[in-house]
Amino acid sequence: MGAFGIDVSSLQGNVEWPEVKRAGVGFAMLRAGFGSGSIDVQFRRNAQECARNGIPFGAYWLSYACAPEMAREEARQCLEIMEDYQVAYPVCIAFGQDSVRYVRSRGVTVTRELATRIVEAFCGRVEEAGCSAMYYSGPDFLERMFDGRLREKYALWFAGDAGRAGDGDIAMWQYSRRGKVSGIDGDAGLDLAFCGEAGTGGEAIRSTI
């Protein structure tokens, strides 16, 4: 059994982190930002509160990169805003359907090779900084848009039915996007981590898959 955790962004508003801690959450994945330098307005507060309440965390960046060079720049910006914090879990790129729609709106066709190279560029920059790199994907996007070489190089944060995760070498599993956690108004992502620090889960966390 992995560590139980949550993933949050500004969509969850002001999270009551002491309540989250009491609910038994063992780690958090915090959205650091998106696109070209857009910092999540709740990231610094979330990071500070996680540190204050003893909740280890990692970070993710919603990529709108149109080319590998842009993905490297996104990674640099992500790392820059994380410099003041001790990050125990991976730094992750989320390049998915929303990313593809944005890139297409800029006149760029997203091929399997381009999507793969974007992830490689982001993760490569993260590893150059001495951090653990990870990429996020659901089963459909993983099969259609990412070359298999990614799973040989970087950790995978898998979203969806664990039975469709392939050979099972996932580092983190988002098993619900509509979880209910004490201290958070509305929904939060619920995760199990098989990487990073150990943690415990609590009965106050429940899934509404």
Side-chain angles (χ1 to χ4, degrees), residues 62-171:
L62 177 57
S63 176
Y64 290 141
C66 298
E69 295 77 13
M70 295 175 67
R72 281 186 62 85
E73 177 61 16
E74 289 178 337
R76 185 197 66 78
Q77 293 166 343
C78 182
L79 292 164
E80 183 176 30
I81 68 170
M82 292 166 49
E83 285 180 345
D84 296 333
Y85 310 102
Q86 182 176 352
V87 179
Y89 278 79
V91 179
C92 180
I93 178 174
F95 188 89
Q97 298 294 354
D98 288 343
S99 309
V100 169
R101 282 191 287 269
Y102 175 82
V103 173
R104 285 175 176 169
S105 76
R106 311 298 290 181
V108 177
T109 299
V110 182
T111 63
R112 183 184 181 93
E113 180 62 20
L114 177 58
T116 300
R117 290 178 61 207
I118 284 171
V119 170
E120 288 176 324
F122 185 99
C123 290
R125 180 65 183 84
V126 168
E127 289 189 336
E128 287 170 13
C131 299
S132 297
M134 184 166 67
Y135 68 108
Y136 173 93
S137 184
D140 180 62
F141 205 87
L142 186 66
E143 181 178 342
R144 291 189 300 107
M145 298 300 294
F146 290 142
D147 189 276
R149 69 179 187 260
L150 287 182
R151 296 189 72 169
E152 299 175 0
K153 299 170 68 175
Y154 307 113
L156 170 64
W157 182 7
F158 182 79
D161 182 358
R164 299 183 63 190
D167 56 16
D169 61 343
I170 60 176

